[in-house]
Each structure stands twice: as C-alpha cells, then as structure tokens.
Amino acid sequence: MLSLPIILSFATSLAAAAGLNDASLKNYVNSLDLDYSFNPVKAAYWTDLPHHRRTPFALSPDGTRAFLAYLDDSETDVHVQRVDPKTFAAVGIAVTVKGGKEAGGLVAHNDGFALLTNEALPSGTTNAPADSTPVPVLYRYTEGEQTFKTFLGGPGVHESDGLSASPDLNGDLVYSEKAGIYGAYFVVTDYSGWAEGHFGDSVQYVSTNGSLDALPESSAWGCSHNTGIAFEAADAAPFASICAEDQGDIWLNTNNRGMDLSGTKISNENTTNGAGGESMGGMSGSYSNLARYQDEDSYIFSWVSRGAVDLYENSWMGKGYVASANRTNGRNVAIATFSDKQTMDGEQASSIVGAKDGDSQVNWITTGTADCSNAHVATFDGANALVTWEQIDEPQCDFIAMGCQGEYSGSYFQLVNKGEKIGAPVKSMDTYVAGDMVTMTDGRICWPYVNMTWRLDQPAGAYGGLPSSTTKQISFACISVGDAANASSSSVVSSSAIVANTAAISTSSSTAPSKIPISSPVVISSTAISASISSAKIAKVAHSTQLYSLSLVSLASASATTFSTATRVSSTSSVAAEENSTAVADTAKSQSENCQVQYIYE
Ligand SMILES: *[C@@H]1O[C@H](CO)[C@@H](O)[C@H](O)[C@H]1NC(C)=O
Ligand SMILES: *[C@@H]1O[C@H](CO)[C@@H](O)[C@H](O)[C@H]1NC(C)=O
Ligand SMILES: *[C@@H]1O[C@H](CO)[C@@H](O)[C@H](O)[C@H]1NC(C)=O
Ligand SMILES: *[C@@H]1O[C@H](CO)[C@@H](O)[C@H](O)[C@H]1NC(C)=O
Ligand SMILES: *[C@@H]1O[C@H](CO)[C@@H](O)[C@H](O)[C@H]1NC(C)=O
Ligand SMILES: *[C@@H]1O[C@H](CO)[C@@H](O)[C@H](O)[C@H]1NC(C)=O
C-alpha cells in the first residue's frame, strides 16, 4: 500500500475548516439614512491619529429590533435610531437623548433600548464636578418614551470613595437577561476624595427599574488610567471584565475589578503616559473586544499588542509586578480564551523579573511587521468566532505605547475556532468596524460603519490634519460562515472512519514515493461520505513538491465519476487546498448522494 504524504483531518466544525472567503462578507452600503449628521472620525488620545467614532449597535433578544446610537455632529445629543435587522434601513425616526456627549454603549430590548452616555449634571446641582464635566448616565426608553435615567457617577454614587466624572466615556454597557441587571464598566476621573485628579475605572450595576444596585460586585475605583475596557454579560454579577492599565498589564479582573495579583494577568504591555498601545482600540474603542460564545459560559478576548520583552520589577506597584519593553514596532493581533468568566485557558503572562520573554504564552493571530489596530471579536456560535482588525503594512510608529500612522492597507476578518485560526483572513479595503459586532438570529455577525475613504497616514482634526467630514448615512457589513455554523452538530457519519483509514494508510509505509502516476488514484477513504459533510481540511502536506488532484467520486455510479477538481498545491498552500476541498464538498451536497474523496498524486 502507498504511504500518504498528507493527513486528512476534520476540524471540529466541518465547513468552518475552509475558513472565510470573499463571499462570506456582505455589505449593505448606505442602507441607513440618519436624521442628523454624524462625524465618523474621532482623534486619538495623545497622537490625534484618526479612529472610527463608535456607533453602538444592538439587537433585541427576539431579533425583531436593532438599534444604532450615534453622537450628533455638534458633539452634544445622542440619537438612537431603530434599524430593521434584515434590511438595515431605518424604522421610524430617531429618539434624541439631549445633552449626551458620547454614545458609550447600547442594549436593545424587545420593547426599546438602554443607552450609556455621559452628560453634564443639571446646573445648580450640589457637588457637581467643575466646568460641567460630564458624568456617566444610563437611560432606558420603552416604546420611544424615557422610562428611567440613572446617573452612574457624581453626587450620591460611592461617595465614601470620592465622586467621579467621565470626560471621555471609554467603556461599555451590557445586560444579562438571566440576572435582570445592567452592568456598565467605564473610565472615571475623581473630583473629590483620595483619588482626586486621578483616572481609574468603575463597574456599576442597575436594576431593570432603574435603581443603582450597590452590589458588592460594583466598584468605585479599579484599574489605574484604564485605556481599554472589555466587558461582557454573565448569568450573574460580577460580569466578565478586562482592563488595560497603565502599569504594564492587561487583567481579567472579573473577580476583583482591580489590577492586583488576585486577578488573572492576560498580557504584559509596554506602557507610557497612561497608554498601553491602544490595546482595545483606545479612544472610541472598548467594545466587541470580549465576546461570550453563544449558549456557553466561555468567552474570547481580542486585542492588539507589541509583545513584551525584558521584564523588570515595577517597584511602584511592588513585589510580584513587572513592567516590560515592547518586542515589536507595530502591533499584532492576539486572542485569549476563557472557559468561564473568571478562568483563562492556558497560562498567565509571565511576572518573572529579569525574564527575556514576557509574551511567550500569547496566542497570536498575526505575527508580521504590519501595525494592526481596531481589533474586535464576536462569536458565531458555541465554538466559532470572528476576529477583525485594520492594518498598516508599512507603519511609522513615532510614539511609545500609542498608535502608528501610515497608508491604510485593509481590514481583515479571520475565522477562529476554539482559539485556533481557521483558513486565511478575508481582506476588504472599504469595510471597517466602527460599532458593536452583533450576532444576528440567523448566525451572521453584523456591524455598522461609514463608507468613506479611510486614511491612517495623518492626524485628524483642526490642526493641519485630515479634513473633517460628516455623513447622514451608515452602512452595515455582515460575515456569515453559512452552513459551517451548524456543521459540528450535524451527523458526520464517516469522519472517524476516514481518519482511521488515513492513519492506517500513513503508517503502512515510512517513505512516500516522490511521484505517483496520476492514473493511480490513492483512495483515502473507502467509506461513504454522507451528503451532510460539507468540507474536509488538508491539515498537512508533507512534501513541498508533491502535486495532487482532489476528486470526489460518486459511489452511486460505479463508473466513479469525477465531479471535480484538478488542483495543484504545495505544502505551504493548505489554504488553497482547503478552498478546493470546500468546492468538492459543495459538489457532494449538490449531488445528494454518497461520494468518496480521492487524493491523486502526480
Ligand atoms: C428596584 O429593584 C430592586 C432589585 O429588584 C429592588 O431592590 C428595589 O427595591 C426596586 N426599587 C423600586 C423603587 O422599586
Ligand atoms: C517601553 O518600551 C520602551 C522601549 O520601546 C522603553 O524604553 C520603556 O522603558 C518601556 N516602558 C516601560 C514602562 O517599561
Ligand atoms: C517599540 O515601540 C515603539 C512605538 O511604541 C517603536 O517606536 C519602537 O521601534 C519599538 N521597539 C522595537 C524594539 O520594535
Ligand atoms: C463607498 O465609498 C467610496 C469612497 O468614498 C466610494 O468610492 C464608493 O463609491 C462608495 N461605495 C458605494 C457603493 O457607494
Ligand atoms: C443552525 O441550527 C439551528 C437549529 O439547530 C437553526 O435554527 C439555525 O437556523 C441553523 N443555522 C444555520 C446557519 O444553518
Ligand atoms: C481550485 O480548483 C480549480 C479547478 O477545479 C482551479 O481552477 C483553482 O485554481 C483551484 N484553486 C486553488 C486556490 O488552487
């Protein structure tokens, strides 16, 4: 028997094995007309480089109502527009939340929405912050009417720890149907008390009747100078939370809401001036960075990082804490997964003083020299997730621990299954992620953006940078894994048989012949492949020079009809092979009959 220089394997989710392709992305350009103008660009902290101004997007539990929130072009008043989740067109007119300074988080209900924004307290309020500095506030609207409004900072909120305001609303709002509470996690600056003049963060929970729940899981002051928040609902408080602080770490801090060693250290990050590389998007970020797998207790987190080398003791923090230098010039995309809201899969980041490597435990999605930014993640189902980012292939990174500039080279969309990359990412030059990535009822992941020419080569704004523009149209994009979403649960009658056969064949001889005549097909599987199988994945091609064709052979017709396909692949082009194995599988399905896969070597 011939030995096989390849191993045929089935990924957990079969069709997903092939990864995404251009057909997975669908755009609804300018589908949503706005009643008011919106400025799609927000200048970043420190560098003024352009960021997408966030437009929070949310879908009701029954799937019938979507909502989009956006800041008025005047930079005061937040508008919330109902959106048809099928066409992404407007339904009715916008609700205007007067005085709102930022659209900081949105939850959709079957009868309305809840909005997290920040606004100045009414003039004359005792113990209000100076200069009308805005304070975070949660609004609930039911069928277009305001049903409650609850301040989450300012007088009356955790007074013994000092009063807080949020000049920039960096944070997020989530809601747990099971727990019946809203949770908000946002950056604060204190204007009284021991932390006066400093920046930190706060978690606040609110009941469905609008009362601020002073739960023990709330916090007045957590991570210092937090420049990145990831927050996702759980079935009970505390909700899953992550912070990027200014002392060198990213923490899973669900349990402790702080930045101490009782949390779980996800990553070492080089920091300066309160920044940590805009790991969760920096200004206008902190959304869709942490996602819960559908109907599971597990989570996935995505961020960008320059890596970490040369750990040294952070004496300001004390024993057990380290700071680091960055390994790379540009930022790469990384993910971490969690089996539940407080348990990270794999090891924590190193805290060994003197260690050369501070990032060896990181699961990188990219590893190149490009600068990656604006990373986000959402989940399709219980195992598959979509990780996205933007790229500058030739970045200029002038500022330690901040963003880079350069020619925008595209947005990328990568399928990830249980923490592993599947296939190659899809690239788009004119699709951006600028608002929450939402899992729709049909299993697609959709998000809003503005169709515009996107530039990352100059600062934004008035000081000689990119000219500002406004729009009255929002576009949406959706990514679908199609049948892949359910493939893992479909009846894979022969997958184990195929794997077993493959193993049997590959171990039968230790040397692969350099050339096998194409007329001698090597039949890997003698087991019928049911039409429910949607894809096979070529995991490994052992010989770089081997060429093969992949054929699907009908068992029904004894003549062994070859439906498709003639493919040349090298060891490095497993992606190409995957694409074609998908084509084969699609043919199998369309034939609705039992078939057989043959790998033929030339
Ligand atoms: C609001 O709900 C909370 C939690 O269910 C309850 O403790 C509180 O008494 C309620 N407040 C009002 C005013 O009904
Ligand atoms: C960050 O990295 C730079 C090198 O790029 C280094 O000079 C600086 O000390 C690091 N910052 C910290 C807080 O360690
Ligand atoms: C560290 O990052 C800065 C930007 O934050 C960059 O200028 C520098 O080149 C990086 N260092 C290395 C070793 O790549
Ligand atoms: C999207 O925007 C780009 C750049 O402004 C423009 O060239 C293109 O025509 C727009 N696409 C559509 C479908 O409107
Ligand atoms: C996945 O299966 C569920 C029920 O098992 C079904 O409701 C859903 O439409 C399926 N999704 C896809 C993308 O096939
Ligand atoms: C897939 O197979 C077709 C022939 O069926 C071929 O034309 C195409 O180039 C192959 N694609 C790749 C990426 O190898």
Side-chain angles (χ1 to χ4, degrees), residues 29-30 430 432 451-453:
V29 177
N30 297 337
D430 60 3
Y432 325 109
N451 182 49
M452 61 192 290
T453 303

Side-chain angles (χ1 to χ4, degrees), residues 399-430:
F399 303 95
I400 297 287
M402 309 285 171
C404 303
Q405 66 192 88
E407 190 184 335
Y408 165 73
S409 328
S411 298
Y412 288 81
F413 303 93
Q414 171 72 55
L415 180 62
V416 168
N417 179 284
K418 300 240 185 230
E420 262 187 61
K421 282 200 286 185
I422 306 292
V426 166
K427 177 182 175 180
S428 169
M429 288 304 290
D430 60 3

Side-chain angles (χ1 to χ4, degrees), residues 47-290:
T47 63
D48 276 345
L49 289 168
H51 285 188
H52 299 281
R53 192 187 295 270
R54 176 184 181 186
T55 51
F57 177 56
L59 179 71
S60 63
D62 67 6
T64 62
R65 296 184 189 197
F67 292 91
L68 179 112
Y70 63 101
L71 179 64
D72 192 275
D73 165 41
S74 67
E75 304 215 341
T76 302
D77 295 351
V78 173
H79 308 292
V80 181
Q81 175 64 57
R82 186 171 159 188
V83 177
D84 183 322
K86 289 208 165 59
T87 61
F88 299 102
V91 177
I93 57 162
V95 168
T96 296
V97 177
K98 285 219 165 289
K101 303 297 283 183
E102 230 165 303
L106 185 67
V107 165
H109 294 290
N110 295 342
D111 62 1
F113 62 85
L115 170 77
L116 175 66
T117 181
N118 54 343
E119 67 181 45
L121 291 165
S123 64
T125 304
T126 310
N127 293 330
D131 305 324
S132 300
T133 305
V135 167
V137 56
L138 178 65
Y139 280 90
R140 171 77 158 98
Y141 277 76
T142 309
E143 303 299 355
E145 299 295 323
Q146 184 183 313
T147 37
F148 71 69
K149 171 181 181 178
T150 305
F151 282 104
L152 307 181
V157 182
H158 52 72
E159 289 206 318
S160 59
D161 277 305
L163 304 181
S164 60
S166 294
D168 290 308
L169 193 58
N170 194 11
D172 209 2
L173 173 72
V174 296
Y175 177 71
S176 167
E177 288 284 343
K178 278 230 171 80
I181 45 174
Y182 299 93
Y185 188 14
F186 45 85
V187 173
V188 296
T189 181
D190 274 13
Y191 61 93
S192 78
W194 62 270
E196 186 175 341
H198 294 277
F199 282 83
D201 64 42
S202 171
V203 178
Q204 296 298 325
Y205 291 97
V206 176
S207 301
T208 49
N209 61 15
S211 71
L212 191 63
D213 270 338
L215 297 177
E217 294 86 1
S218 302
S219 69
W221 189 268
C223 298
S224 162
H225 244 298
N226 184 330
T227 54
I229 282 171
F231 199 44
E232 180 65 301
D235 291 344
F239 293 168
S241 61
I242 293 174
C243 83
E245 34 85 330
D246 65 342
Q247 290 298 315
D249 307 303
I250 295 179
W251 299 94
L252 175 69
N253 66 356
T254 306
N255 280 346
N256 62 330
R257 269 80 62 198
M259 52 186 286
D260 60 76
L261 296 171
S262 63
T264 300
K265 190 158 87 168
I266 298 171
S267 177
N268 287 302
E269 298 291 333
N270 177 250
T271 56
T272 195
N273 293 318
E278 300 179 341
S279 45
M280 294 175 230
M283 292 288 265
S284 243
S286 293
Y287 64 89
S288 298
N289 285 111
L290 178 62

Side-chain angles (χ1 to χ4, degrees), residues 537-560:
K537 178 187 176 189
I538 312 300
K540 215 179 255 176
V541 180
H543 295 273
S544 58
T545 54
Q546 289 283 22
L547 305 172
Y548 65 79
S549 69
L550 180 62
S551 299
L552 183 75
V553 178
S554 165
L555 295 181
S557 54
S559 59

Side-chain angles (χ1 to χ4, degrees), residues 550 563-569 573 575-581 583-584:
L550 180 62
F563 301 127
S564 66
T565 147
T567 310
R568 290 167 163 260
V569 290
S573 57
V575 171
E578 284 168 21
E579 274 173 19
N580 269 315
S581 59
V584 170

